């Protein structure tokens, strides 16, 4: 796996923290670490780079970095054109020094290294639901930086970004987790649902031809944020628009129904039921088993056990009629993020993957 320099540096420092023997070996080798380089003042960093053979003034740094998306790329260019004889750990000191100066001197011009730091910090804050608001702030910074770099580097897709980024996490995974974290943060401060609407709208406008599953997830998130803020007409209009374009989108019908069955206030189980039945009325609807399962859950929540049992029997009949491959095609959500992004059935209001699904 071709990881970036900063991703490898983080992995090394984590191993050093966990393994004293490895830490002693790295220290004895004289290999620099990013945490040690960050302890140096600007003047010390400039002096370190000068000893390596790279001399420049602070006012020149923006021009030097203007064509690059990362300090690693800038260091590679400097190595090829100015420092071809750099040996030992000099190359590591070169990119680390440039990365830290970039953070300090060009904070308005995010780099891949800065994005890596923000992504990791957000992951720590999101862990076990510790601080969803803090995680959102870090990852919203990632989203802003990704857009800025994509524009400056003329990147056309998030896949192209990830290919050049080469971080410990894919940016596309971070953005999907941001959507879920914005939901959880909104449970305490609904301004984060507003920011979720802004994020999802920007994503869908920028990545028109993106991966279909991720696009569908982001559409559901956008409509669900509107529903959480009580904007039922907007919610209905969005789902109608998308389902007119693709009536077979099973999880679209489910997502629309969920807005009326999982809502904390103003639930409308009758409307949720109608939506599911409309979806099941589409001959070639995808994920029919999931639609039926959701209808079973809706009936059980209302104490309609007889009707729930009847629908449950339809699910078993459908499974018996389908061979293994056909059944696999009707349930792609079991191996994707879709199912984990639904509201947790425990009633917490959080997404399943951030609640019981994280156990």
């Amino acid at each position: 796996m071709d990881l970036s320099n900063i991703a490898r540096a983080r992995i090394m420092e984590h191993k050093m923290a966990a393994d004293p023997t490895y830490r002693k070996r790295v220290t004895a080798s004289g290999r620099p670490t990013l945490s040690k380089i960050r302890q140096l003042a600007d003047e010390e960093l400039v002096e370190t780079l000068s000893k390596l053979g790279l001399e420049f003034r602070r006012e020149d740094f923006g021009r030097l970095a203007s064509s690059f998306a990362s300090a690693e790329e800038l260091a590679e260019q400097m190595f090829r054109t100015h420092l071809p004889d750099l040996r030992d750990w000099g190359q590591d000191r070169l990119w680390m020094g440039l990365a830290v100066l970039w953070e300090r001197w060009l904070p308005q011009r995010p780099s891949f290294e800065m994005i890596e730091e923000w992504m990791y910090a957000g992951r720590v804050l999101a862990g076990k639901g510790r601080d969803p608001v803090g995680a959102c702030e870090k990852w919203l910074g990632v989203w802003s930086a990704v857009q800025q770099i994509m524009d400056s580097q003329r990147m056309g897709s998030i896949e192209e970004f990830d290919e050049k980024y080469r971080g410990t996490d894919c940016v596309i995974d971070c953005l999907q987790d941001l959507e879920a974290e914005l939901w959880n943060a909104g449970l305490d401060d609904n301004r984060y649902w507003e920011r979720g609407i802004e994020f999802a709208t920007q994503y869908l406008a920028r990545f028109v031809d993106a991966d279909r599953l991720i696009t569908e997830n982001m559409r559901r998130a956008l409509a669900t944020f509107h529903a959480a803020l009580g904007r039922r007409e907007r919610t209905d209009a969005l789902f109608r628009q998308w389902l007119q374009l693709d009536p077979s989108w099973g999880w679209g019908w489910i997502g629309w129904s969920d807005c009326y069955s999982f809502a904390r206030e103003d639930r409308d189980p009758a409307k949720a039921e109608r939506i599911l039945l409309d979806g099941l009325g589409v001959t070639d609807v995808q994920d029919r088993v999931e639609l039926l399962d959701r209808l079973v859950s809706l009936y059980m929540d209302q104490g309609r056990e007889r009707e729930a049992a009847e629908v449950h029997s339809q699910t078993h009949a459908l499974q018996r009629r389908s061979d293994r491959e056909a059944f696999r095609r009707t349930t792609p959500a079991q191996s994707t993020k879709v199912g984990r992004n639904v509201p947790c059935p425990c009633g917490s209001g959080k997404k399943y993957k951030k609640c019981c699904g994280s156990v």
Side-chain angles (χ1 to χ4, degrees):
M1 188 176 190
D2 181 24
L3 291 175
S4 65
N5 282 347
I6 192 169
R8 290 199 297 268
R10 166 165 292 114
I11 292 170
M12 181 185 77
E13 294 210 39
H14 282 181
K15 187 174 180 181
M16 289 174 66
D19 186 342
T21 301
Y22 178 73
R23 181 170 62 251
K24 290 179 181 179
R25 190 162 66 245
V26 171
T27 302
S29 72
R31 184 172 185 175
T33 63
L34 194 56
S35 59
K36 291 291 185 181
I37 295 294
R38 283 204 172 102
Q39 294 174 12
L40 300 178
D42 291 5
E43 297 77 11
E44 294 174 298
L45 286 170
V46 171
E47 183 180 356
T48 297
L49 295 175
S50 177
K51 289 179 179 179
L52 295 175
L54 183 62
E55 305 232 10
F56 59 86
R57 297 172 301 175
R58 177 168 181 165
E59 53 266 31
D60 297 328
F61 192 79
R63 178 181 55 79
L64 287 172
S66 61
S67 300
F68 303 97
S70 69
E72 180 178 343
E73 291 178 345
L74 175 57
E76 289 173 353
Q77 176 68 12
M78 295 297 101
F79 176 70
R80 287 194 299 268
T81 59
H82 294 77
L83 308 168
D85 298 324
L86 202 56
R87 295 291 180 268
D88 298 325
W89 303 121
Q91 293 183 39
D92 278 356
R93 288 189 176 87
L94 176 63
W95 82 259
M96 288 180 182
L98 291 172
V100 174
L101 289 177
W102 194 323
E103 292 171 0
R104 297 176 184 175
W105 292 355
L106 298 175
Q108 76 283 3
R109 285 256 322 277
S111 64
F112 283 167
E113 287 83 7
M114 293 160 71
I115 289 176
E116 174 75 13
E117 294 296 331
W118 297 336
M119 283 180 62
Y120 176 74
R123 189 71 63 200
V124 172
L125 291 168
K128 298 182 180 179
R130 178 163 46 185
D131 185 1
V133 169
C136 285
E137 293 298 336
K138 290 295 183 183
W139 286 342
L140 285 168
V142 168
W143 171 235
S144 177
V146 166
Q147 294 180 89
Q148 189 172 340
I149 291 177
M150 289 189 70
D151 289 340
S152 66
Q153 300 292 311
R154 294 181 174 84
M155 297 181 187
S157 69
I158 198 69
E159 290 78 14
E160 181 183 357
F161 186 98
D162 266 326
E163 183 178 348
K164 294 181 179 179
Y165 171 66
R166 300 165 21 250
T168 49
D169 283 331
C170 292
V171 170
I172 190 59
D173 289 343
C174 173
L175 296 181
Q176 291 180 89
D177 288 341
L178 168 58
E179 171 262 305
E181 214 61 44
L182 284 164
W183 173 266
N184 290 336
L187 294 172
D188 296 321
D189 183 349
N190 63 19
R191 288 177 296 180
Y192 283 92
W193 289 337
E194 295 282 9
R195 298 179 76 177
I197 290 171
E198 181 181 6
F199 161 63
T201 301
Q202 290 174 348
Y203 181 94
L204 291 169
R206 178 175 285 267
F207 303 122
V208 177
D209 299 320
D211 176 272
R212 177 178 175 178
L213 178 60
I214 298 173
T215 296
E216 290 176 346
N217 283 347
M218 207 60 71
R219 285 177 172 176
R220 287 176 54 214
L222 173 59
T224 302
F225 286 132
H226 278 294
L229 290 165
R231 299 167 187 165
R232 301 297 186 178
E233 291 185 5
R234 182 59 178 158
T235 301
D236 293 346
L238 286 170
F239 274 118
R240 285 196 187 99
Q241 172 189 337
W242 297 326
L243 288 166
Q244 284 176 359
L245 293 173
D246 182 12
S248 67
W249 179 28
W251 276 94
W253 294 104
I254 292 171
W256 191 5
S257 173
D258 285 351
C259 291
Y260 292 94
S261 57
F262 283 102
R264 292 186 298 172
E265 299 176 358
D266 301 325
R267 295 190 182 194
D268 189 344
K271 183 166 184 174
E273 178 184 1
R274 288 197 302 273
I275 292 169
L276 291 174
L277 292 175
D278 286 345
L280 289 165
V282 177
T283 303
D284 59 346
V285 70
Q286 300 169 1
D287 306 302
R288 184 175 292 274
V289 170
E290 279 69 26
L291 276 159
L292 290 168
D293 282 344
R294 196 59 116 246
L295 190 58
V296 168
S297 297
L298 186 63
Y299 286 154
M300 291 297 292
D301 286 344
Q302 299 174 67
R304 298 162 64 180
E305 296 182 3
R306 181 182 60 79
E307 291 161 289
E310 291 175 356
V311 176
H312 189 61
S313 67
Q314 294 179 40
T315 304
H316 280 292
L318 178 61
Q319 292 173 347
R320 285 196 299 270
R321 287 197 307 269
S322 304
D323 59 29
R324 187 182 301 273
E325 180 61 20
F327 177 66
R328 184 190 67 81
R329 287 197 302 269
T330 63
T331 57
Q334 292 180 355
S335 60
T336 69
K337 290 179 175 286
V338 178
R340 299 183 68 215
N341 275 338
V342 302
C344 189
C346 76
S348 67
K350 294 184 178 183
K351 295 296 182 74
Y352 172 71
K353 72 176 181 179
K354 292 295 181 179
C355 191
C356 296
S358 66
V359 177

